Amino acid sequence: MDQLWDILLPKEKIELQLRKLYREHGFRPYHLNNFEEYQLYQRNLNFLRNTGVITFTGNDGRTMALKPDVTLSIVKNLPNNQPQRVYYVEDVYRHDSQAGEYQKINQIGIELIDKIQPKDEVEVLKLAWQSLSLVGEGTLDVSHIGILAGICQKFPESEHEKVVVAMRMKSSHAMTELAEKNGLTKEESENLGKLVRVAGHFEKKICRAEELLANFPESLASLKELKNLFDTLSQMDDLSSNIRMRLDFSVVNDADYYSGLLFQGFIKEAKETILYGGRYDRLLEKEHKNQGAVGYGMNLNHVGKTAHETTEQTEFLNIALPKGRMGDAIYQLLTQAGIAAENIFEDNRKLIFEDQLNQLRFFLVKPSDVAIYVEHGAADIGVVGKDILLESEADVIEFLDLKMGVCKLAVAAHKDYQEDFSRPLRVSTKYPKITRKYFESIGRSVELIQLHGSIELAPLLNLSDVIVDIVETGTTLKENDLEVTADIAQSSARLIINQAAWRFKQERIQKVIENVRKQL
């Protein structure tokens, strides 16, 4: 038997240990088909974080889909009013927005479906902690949907999605602007701006969070629930010390589905979130089930892999800067802030520059690639335009508006153009996602023509009716007899952070941010 164990891959060993752990806690294995009817996912796209779904037509004419999620299938197929404790090991298929391809993700997870009590949430959190500890050193970040709901009560419903985005991106400037715009008091606006930045060891941050939520009673009540869970877990002596519990309000999910505890798991060996979980009673309500539910899924794709970075490399902060004037300006800002040494950038064709004294490593990359480097963990920090962030929809933390490269995304047309509403509008742009989303929001059908340069030329040569592009001074538009017909979004340079790096290099990153903030 020992010989069989020795030939298993690290991932396979961890999977067997997780199966054993879940069985010891009374969870039984649950197996599913590889596909479900597409309509299950179609009506729950927000729960799936709007991921793409692979569909096909069955022999009976029904539209079927390869599973992008396991929880939805379990909820759909389990009997109503019957308590269930199940675990699964399944493959799901999701779209990678950056790569433009579908990926097969091997998942393991548990679902506890019942009349959920605090003890059930404690048990699931404990199992998530133990699961992560089998994989490596990491963090378990917790939040509560009630905290977000309590904050949203101060805003009109039309602004709720913007509040969610500001929380998820840790965008204090966006949250403060939203609060001021919607008539919150100066104290409430300032406190919300500070709240989105609160993150770290639970016990050290809970008091600060209570102070900032003093004017949000529902949020305070939810924060108290989290504190009770933390206090219960803290009394347990069988939890590994290689996992830390953190309070982090960027852990948010759709309030139409989730009803309480939210949590995410990270390990040093992976550059992304590997565990997602929470309490999702409202999903069961939508599926006409009378129980509550709490559970999580863990990505096994990165489990058992050895980190390639040496100890020396992990101590460096990796910073992706855009090539060109913006990158030069950001580097000067960092030197003025006392973060980086001067004259690091040599006058040659190198793309990587090291500041050994300050343990910084700079990468010079194409501006449109910065967010990709940060999202996938090749860089811990990056500087990128808001326009690129909106287009890429990268899963990063947008921590700071640097107030540089200020411009706007706008629709422009020839000054004599008269729109023909009897046909789709032809639009040239290098921002197809932003463009499609904008015109869908105003109910206008469009035909997109994607270009990569000289966008202003398109309407002059009758390639398109209008363009969507960045506008700074508007001089180029005027010189070509074009004019702005609608503004879409403001843009400027943003400092972004990799999700995992924020968990493991927070102290160093925080120092960089605070020093930069003083220069703005």
Side-chain angles (χ1 to χ4, degrees), residues 125 128-129 132 138-144 168 170 198-202 226 230 233 243-253 260-267 272-278 296 397 498-504 506:
L125 265 182
W129 187 309
L132 286 171
T139 73
L140 186 62
D141 290 18
V142 298
S143 187
H144 194 293
R168 179 180 293 126
K170 282 196 171 299
V198 171
H201 189 279
F202 191 98
L226 282 183
F230 175 80
L233 282 169
I243 304 297
R244 297 174 295 117
M245 181 173 284
R246 299 172 72 258
L247 181 65
D248 197 318
F249 300 115
S250 66
V251 179
V252 294
N253 280 316
L261 171 69
L262 301 170
F263 54 95
Q264 292 179 1
F266 300 81
I267 57 167
E272 59 189 45
T273 314
I274 72 160
L275 185 148
Y276 291 93
Y296 62 82
I397 299 171
N498 172 264
Q499 293 281 3
W502 173 246
R503 272 73 188 181
F504 300 109
Q506 181 180 344

Side-chain angles (χ1 to χ4, degrees), residues 74-213:
I74 291 177
V75 169
K76 173 195 170 189
N77 293 298
L78 286 178
N80 194 18
N81 289 321
Q82 290 186 20
Q84 301 286 343
R85 297 167 67 89
V86 300
Y87 78 86
Y88 61 85
V89 184
E90 297 282 343
D91 290 331
V92 297
Y93 302 84
R94 292 182 179 170
H95 191 259
D96 184 324
S97 60
Q98 300 297 345
E101 300 289 345
Y102 284 93
Q103 294 183 328
K104 183 175 77 169
I105 300 171
N106 188 219
Q107 276 190 348
I108 190 167
I110 63 172
E111 309 293 350
L112 200 165
I113 299 174
D114 201 349
K115 301 296 182 184
I116 301 299
Q117 304 297 322
K119 65 179 179 61
D120 300 315
E121 293 181 322
V122 169
E123 181 182 14
V124 170
L125 265 182
K126 178 181 178 180
L127 287 170
W129 187 309
Q130 293 173 319
S131 298
L132 286 171
S133 70
L134 288 172
V135 177
E137 182 182 350
T139 73
L140 186 62
D141 290 18
V142 298
S143 187
H144 194 293
I145 201 68
I147 296 170
L148 179 63
I151 292 170
C152 283
Q153 285 182 357
K154 297 275 187 174
F155 295 82
E157 188 172 349
S158 60
E159 299 281 57
H160 287 185
E161 180 58 30
K162 293 178 182 177
V163 174
V164 171
V165 172
M167 290 287 282
R168 179 180 293 126
M169 300 286 280
K170 282 196 171 299
S171 182
S172 58
H173 51 276
M175 181 64 83
T176 302
E177 289 169 8
L178 271 173
E180 291 173 348
K181 170 188 168 186
N182 287 282
L184 275 68
T185 67
K186 182 179 179 180
E187 180 186 17
E188 289 171 337
S189 299
E190 290 178 351
N191 284 351
L192 285 181
K194 294 173 183 176
L195 181 76
V196 299
R197 298 198 300 265
V198 171
H201 189 279
F202 191 98
E203 205 164 21
K204 295 178 180 178
K205 298 297 179 179
I206 185 70
C207 293
R208 180 59 172 157
E210 288 172 341
E211 292 172 4
L212 297 173
L213 288 170

Side-chain angles (χ1 to χ4, degrees), residues 266-434:
F266 300 81
I267 57 167
K268 278 190 173 181
E269 289 77 8
K271 300 292 187 179
E272 59 189 45
T273 314
I274 72 160
L275 185 148
Y276 291 93
R279 182 165 176 178
Y280 52 94
D281 295 14
R282 294 194 179 103
L283 172 60
L284 274 82
E285 291 175 16
K286 286 180 176 287
E287 292 300 314
H288 309 293
K289 309 286 182 176
N290 296 322
Q291 303 105 305
V294 60
Y296 62 82
M298 188 163 77
N299 181 347
L300 291 176
N301 285 27
H302 300 289
V303 167
K305 291 184 179 180
T306 302
H308 294 296
E309 291 181 323
T310 65
T311 302
E312 178 185 347
Q313 287 176 320
T314 59
E315 292 173 353
F316 273 74
L317 272 185
N318 299 308
I319 302 175
L321 296 181
K323 293 179 181 178
R325 287 179 299 171
M326 177 62 73
D328 293 339
I330 299 301
Y331 174 66
Q332 290 303 316
L333 178 64
L334 294 175
T335 58
Q336 291 167 13
I339 296 166
E342 295 185 5
N343 302 319
I344 294 298
F345 285 7
E346 303 171 18
D347 187 17
N348 56 33
R349 299 179 68 85
K350 286 178 62 177
L351 297 177
I352 301 176
F353 303 87
E354 289 191 357
D355 179 350
Q356 292 285 348
L357 179 63
N358 296 296
Q359 292 187 306
L360 301 175
R361 183 181 293 108
F362 296 97
F363 311 147
L364 293 177
V365 300
K366 187 177 178 180
S368 58
D369 291 340
V370 171
I372 299 173
Y373 277 87
V374 175
E375 179 178 16
H376 291 279
D380 302 315
I381 299 173
V383 176
V384 64
K386 179 64 175 178
D387 56 308
I388 294 174
L389 275 184
L390 290 172
E391 180 64 24
S392 67
E393 298 179 339
D395 182 16
V396 297
I397 299 171
E398 181 196 321
F399 213 98
L400 199 59
D401 183 351
L402 298 177
K403 309 294 184 183
M404 301 170 67
V406 177
C407 55
K408 64 181 178 181
L409 271 166
V411 183
H414 193 274
K415 62 182 181 181
D416 297 326
Y417 173 68
Q418 297 292 321
E419 188 167 351
D420 181 0
F421 289 94
S422 67
R423 61 173 175 79
L425 186 69
R426 291 178 300 150
V427 187
S428 292
T429 184
K430 58 181 176 182
Y431 301 100
K433 288 183 182 177
I434 296 172

